[in-house]
């Protein structure tokens, strides 16, 4: 009896330490991994337009043959392109990978302050840029402070796996794919010519040069009805540009023989389709042109995945599809639906703040105090404040008080407004970078989102969040960046023999892609990854428990 009692006591002691594990019926290895991103693709789009998708291997590759997650949300509060693509690639948030914005300010070699791209790198030059290009500054992923899934795949295979990135945007091609890639490619905005950087190569591969010399760009212009003007801004917002990007990806896969690695290890390609972002900014998520673009992308995806089926075999391909951020409804569309949406000028508060700061702290050179409102950050000029003898804490706290004062004035002036269903701009949250850096944040969901958004690259600044469907913007379109759910909601779709087709409910996040794929590939997850393995969508033959106890 005493032995039985001791045994039961031991079981009761061990059980709380036993964690569930997953019995895996899948033991194959994909030959090609595809990370597909549609820029500014909100998470409700696929179900909203689902009835219009006809192709077998288009959107239905995910909706009918893959794992479709309905509730995928980012867990941070700086929803912009560079940060989103870095998050997808690294499986980490900005506090892990370091990328907060598309551009920010840094001292130049001569000491003056300059705006720099998240991927700009003075050590390298552009490759393949059209003749006459004035700025040949190269690019690299050197500001991305974490490894990507692609990096870990290369490391795990001792350099034998081949990883590439493709997008109309340089930051999207580079930050998703990573550091150890064989190449990243994007387009010259005016001409649509594909280019890269000497970080990877000194000249374009023959297949890429041949693609540029072909009539692909001309055909895309003809299909889009924009024979002249910026390829990126005009052709880029049409379905013709989706074809253009996927055709280039096909040329890369063929030219580099991805999916048939001689070392019998997986290859990988990241593809970010910029078209939905370009069109979305111009016309918004509810405009018929955005629906048309998404529906017409069905055929382009079908052609691409059918190509993969014929060359690599879809049974040998593992795919994840997501978006880098969502988007807000336009003011015009909101008003038509009876929703108080407001796009307003950042000048409405940045100009008065500058005036009040200069009145309090007379300028001593080094430029203005307010650099710009780069959503969601109000960027401050550290060097101007330091010249005036003002510390970071004082500068940020003073600017914060002035912003709050200005927005309170907006509310008071509109308190008696009789305009139906209109609301003045309202500041819901404002925190200094010092508060973010030191963790002086509320123990709430918003505090967690904000903590995940910190990066030293921002410099001195304030993080602002406005009322629902309110945003500083120019023109008649819309934007994204907030901590609100519509900017954080994106699709998450998985396809491959490792996954059980179906629709899955419950909150997941884009960071789960890197964790899940690393688990399936049996490699290390990226260095700062925080996601979880989506075992609910994976084939299994049993559910087991661990037989080890933490020491």
């Amino acid at each position: 009896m005493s032995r039985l009692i001791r045994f039961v006591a031991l079981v009761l002691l061990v059980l709380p330490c036993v964690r569930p594990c997953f019995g895996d019926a899948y033991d194959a290895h994909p030959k090609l991994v595809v990370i597909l991103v549609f820029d500014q693709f909100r998470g409700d789009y696929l179900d909203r337009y689902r009835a219009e998708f006809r192709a077998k291997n288009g959107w239905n590759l995910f909706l009918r043959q893959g794992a479709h997650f309905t509730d995928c949300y980012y867990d941070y509060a700086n929803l912009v392109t560079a940060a989103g693509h870095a998050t997808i690639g690294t499986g980490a948030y900005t506090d892990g990978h370091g990328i907060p914005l598309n551009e920010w300010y840094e001292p130049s070699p001569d000491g003056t302050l300059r705006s720099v791209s998240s991927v700009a790198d003075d050590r390298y030059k552009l490759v393949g840029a059209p003749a006459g290009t004035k700025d040949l500054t190269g690019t690299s992923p050197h500001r991305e402070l974490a490894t990507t899934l692609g990096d870990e795949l290369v490391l795990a295979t001792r350099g034998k796996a081949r990883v590439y990135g493709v997008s109309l945007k340089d930051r999207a091609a580079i930050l998703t794919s990573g550091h150890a890639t064989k190449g990243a490619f994007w387009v010259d905005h005016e001409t649509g010519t594909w280019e890269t950087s000497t970080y990877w190569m000194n000249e374009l591969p023959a297949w890429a040069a041949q693609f540029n010399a072909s009539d692909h760009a001309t055909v895309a212009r003809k299909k889009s009805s924009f024979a002249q003007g910026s390829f990126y801004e005009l052709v880029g917002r049409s379905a013709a540009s989706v074809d253009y990007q996927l055709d280039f990806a096909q040329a890369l896969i063929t030219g580099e023989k991805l999916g048939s690695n001689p070392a019998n290890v997986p290859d990988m390609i990241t593809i970010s389709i910029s078209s939905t972002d370009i069109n979305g900014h111009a016309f918004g998520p509810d405009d018929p042109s955005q629906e048309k673009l998404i529906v017409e992308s069905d055929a382009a995806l079908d052609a691409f995945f059918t190509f993969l089926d014929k060359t690599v075999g879809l049974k040998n391909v593992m795919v994840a599809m997501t978006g880098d951020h969502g988007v807000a409804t336009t003011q015009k569309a909101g008003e038509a639906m009876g929703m108080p949406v407001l796009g307003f000028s950042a000048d409405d508060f940045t100009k008065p703040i500058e005036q009040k700061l200069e009145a309090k702290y007379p300028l001593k050179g080094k430029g203005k105090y307010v650099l710009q409102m780069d959503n969601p950050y109000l960027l401050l000029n550290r060097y101007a404040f330091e010249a005036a003898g003002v510390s970071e804490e004082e500068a940020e706290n003073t600017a914060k008080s002035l912003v709050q004062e200005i927005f309170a004035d907006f509310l008071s002036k509109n308190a008696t407004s009789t305009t139906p269903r209109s609301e003045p701009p309202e500041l819901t949250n404002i925190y200094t970078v010092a508060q973010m850096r030191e963790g002086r944040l509320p123990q709430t969901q918003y505090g967690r989102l904000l903590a995940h958004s910190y990066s030293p690259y921002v410099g001195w600044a304030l993080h602002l969040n406005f009322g629902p469907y309110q945003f500083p913007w120019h023109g008649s379109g819309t934007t994204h960046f907030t901590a609100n759910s519509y900017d954080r909601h994106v699709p998450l779709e998985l396809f491959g023999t490792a996954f059980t087709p179906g629709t899955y409910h419950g909150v997941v996040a884009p960071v789960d892609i890197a964790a899940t794929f690393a688990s399936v590939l049996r490699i290390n997850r990226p260095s700062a990854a925080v996601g979880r393995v989506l075992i609910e969508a994976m084939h299994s033959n049993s559910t087991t428990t661990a037989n080890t106890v933490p020491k």
Side-chain angles (χ1 to χ4, degrees):
M1 178 66 71
S2 62
R3 286 184 177 180
L4 178 62
I5 292 172
R6 285 198 297 271
F7 175 75
V8 171
L10 179 62
V11 170
L12 292 175
L13 180 65
V14 169
L15 275 177
C17 300
V18 175
R19 295 187 292 178
C21 289
F22 187 76
D24 189 0
Y26 168 82
D27 198 31
H29 296 284
K31 294 182 178 180
L32 180 64
V33 177
V34 180
I35 305 295
L36 177 64
V37 183
F38 268 71
D39 204 314
Q40 198 191 116
F41 202 97
R42 211 169 59 190
D44 58 332
Y45 284 165
L46 289 182
D47 286 304
R48 181 190 287 195
Y49 305 127
R50 187 169 188 159
E52 300 180 64
F53 304 144
R54 301 284 185 260
K56 176 185 177 183
N57 291 331
W59 294 118
N60 284 322
L61 185 81
F62 308 113
L63 294 172
R64 294 184 180 178
Q65 304 175 64
H68 169 53
F69 293 85
T70 59
D71 305 284
C72 179
Y73 289 86
Y74 279 99
D75 199 41
Y76 67 163
N78 52 309
L79 279 298
V80 297
T81 295
H85 284 84
T87 294
I88 295 163
T90 64
Y93 292 111
T94 290
D95 60 333
H97 58 63
I99 303 296
L101 295 165
N102 297 330
E103 299 92 18
W104 52 84
Y105 288 85
E106 291 180 358
S108 61
D110 64 5
T112 59
L113 206 59
R114 62 171 179 170
S115 176
V116 297
S117 159
S118 54
V119 292
D121 195 332
D122 294 329
R123 297 172 297 175
Y124 303 101
K125 298 295 182 185
L126 290 181
V127 174
T133 301
K134 293 180 180 179
D135 184 2
L136 291 173
T137 301
T139 56
S140 82
H142 76 289
R143 290 185 176 87
E144 190 169 44
L145 305 179
T147 65
T148 64
L149 179 70
D151 292 335
E152 295 298 340
L153 179 59
V154 172
L155 291 170
T157 59
R158 298 177 180 175
K160 295 173 183 175
R162 301 166 299 187
V163 179
Y164 288 87
V166 172
S167 179
L168 292 186
K169 301 180 182 181
D170 54 3
R171 55 186 178 269
I174 294 168
L175 297 174
T176 321
S177 54
H179 305 261
T181 53
K182 295 293 185 183
F185 301 92
W186 56 92
V187 301
D188 172 74
H189 280 205
E190 288 305 310
T191 65
T193 300
W194 290 93
E195 56 190 24
T196 185
S197 168
T198 53
Y199 175 83
W200 292 278
M201 60 196 75
N202 291 320
E203 61 181 20
L204 290 174
W207 59 263
Q210 183 178 355
F211 191 97
N212 280 339
S214 72
D215 65 349
H216 279 91
T218 302
V219 169
R221 283 190 176 277
K222 185 176 181 179
K223 285 182 180 178
S224 67
S225 301
F226 290 108
Q228 302 294 327
S230 167
F231 187 95
Y232 176 88
E233 294 292 347
L234 299 176
V235 181
R237 67 190 191 207
S238 71
S241 73
V242 181
D243 290 328
Y244 189 70
Q245 292 166 85
L246 292 176
D247 285 348
F248 184 81
Q250 286 189 38
L252 189 159
I253 291 167
T254 301
E256 300 296 339
K257 298 180 174 58
L258 298 190
S260 56
N261 195 301
N264 197 31
V265 300
D267 293 321
M268 178 174 166
I269 184 170
T270 69
I271 307 167
S272 177
I273 304 298
S274 308
S275 317
T276 37
D277 184 69
I278 301 167
N279 191 70
H281 275 300
F283 302 109
D286 305 296
D287 191 83
S289 67
Q290 190 74 330
E291 177 182 356
K292 181 174 183 286
L293 174 57
I294 293 167
V295 173
E296 289 181 350
S297 296
D298 189 44
L301 288 172
D302 181 64
F304 176 70
F305 286 118
T306 299
F307 156 78
L308 287 184
D309 194 25
K310 292 178 179 177
T311 54
V312 182
L314 282 178
K315 67 180 183 297
N316 300 313
V317 178
M318 185 166 70
V319 187
M321 181 269 167
T322 189
D324 58 340
H325 52 73
V327 68
T329 296
T330 65
Q331 182 170 339
K332 180 181 177 181
E335 289 172 348
M337 293 182 281
M339 183 70 190
V341 177
L342 178 66
F344 58 98
S345 172
D347 289 345
D348 291 346
F349 60 95
T350 56
K351 286 186 175 180
I353 291 168
E354 180 65 36
Q355 292 170 355
K356 291 174 183 289
L357 286 171
E358 289 183 22
K360 186 175 179 67
Y361 309 116
L363 289 170
K364 304 293 185 181
K366 304 294 184 181
K368 301 285 187 180
Y369 289 118
V370 176
L371 291 171
Q372 72 177 96
M373 181 66 201
D374 194 349
N375 297 326
Y377 286 100
L378 179 67
L379 302 177
L380 303 176
N381 186 345
R382 168 182 179 174
Y383 302 98
F385 280 108
E386 287 182 335
V390 181
S391 68
E392 177 188 5
E393 190 84 8
E394 182 179 354
E396 291 179 348
N397 285 336
T398 300
K400 177 180 177 179
S401 296
L402 293 176
V403 173
Q404 291 171 318
E405 178 184 306
I406 289 166
F407 274 88
D409 192 43
F410 289 158
L411 290 173
S412 65
K413 286 180 178 178
N414 286 273
T416 58
S417 173
T418 58
T419 304
R421 300 195 183 187
S422 68
E423 300 293 340
E426 184 172 1
L427 187 68
T428 58
N429 289 281
I430 180 169
Y431 288 89
T432 68
V433 162
Q435 287 176 296
M436 295 172 68
R437 181 176 63 246
E438 296 163 12
R440 292 184 280 127
L441 300 169
Q443 297 299 306
T444 61
Q445 172 179 288
Y446 185 80
R448 186 185 70 251
L449 297 175
L450 206 57
H452 288 167
S453 305
Y454 172 72
S455 169
Y457 288 136
V458 172
W460 295 11
L462 303 175
H463 189 287
L464 280 62
N465 204 72
F466 305 97
Y469 295 103
Q470 292 187 347
F471 44 86
W473 185 242
H474 49 83
S476 60
T478 186
T479 192
H480 49 82
F481 69 88
T482 74
N484 300 327
S485 64
Y486 48 82
D487 282 344
R488 295 190 292 112
H489 190 198
V490 294
L492 197 160
E493 317 293 323
L494 303 176
F495 171 83
T497 55
F499 306 112
T500 304
T503 297
Y504 297 84
H505 302 283
V507 176
V508 296
V511 292
D512 298 335
I513 294 171
T516 300
F517 276 26
S519 180
V520 173
L521 293 167
R522 277 64 160 177
I523 63 175
N524 289 327
R525 58 171 56 192
S527 60
V530 296
R532 70 177 182 88
V533 180
L534 296 171
I535 59 174
E536 63 268 37
M538 297 171 69
H539 285 306
S540 66
N541 56 7
S542 64
T543 300
T544 63
T545 54
N547 58 7
T548 57
V549 179
K551 303 230 183 206

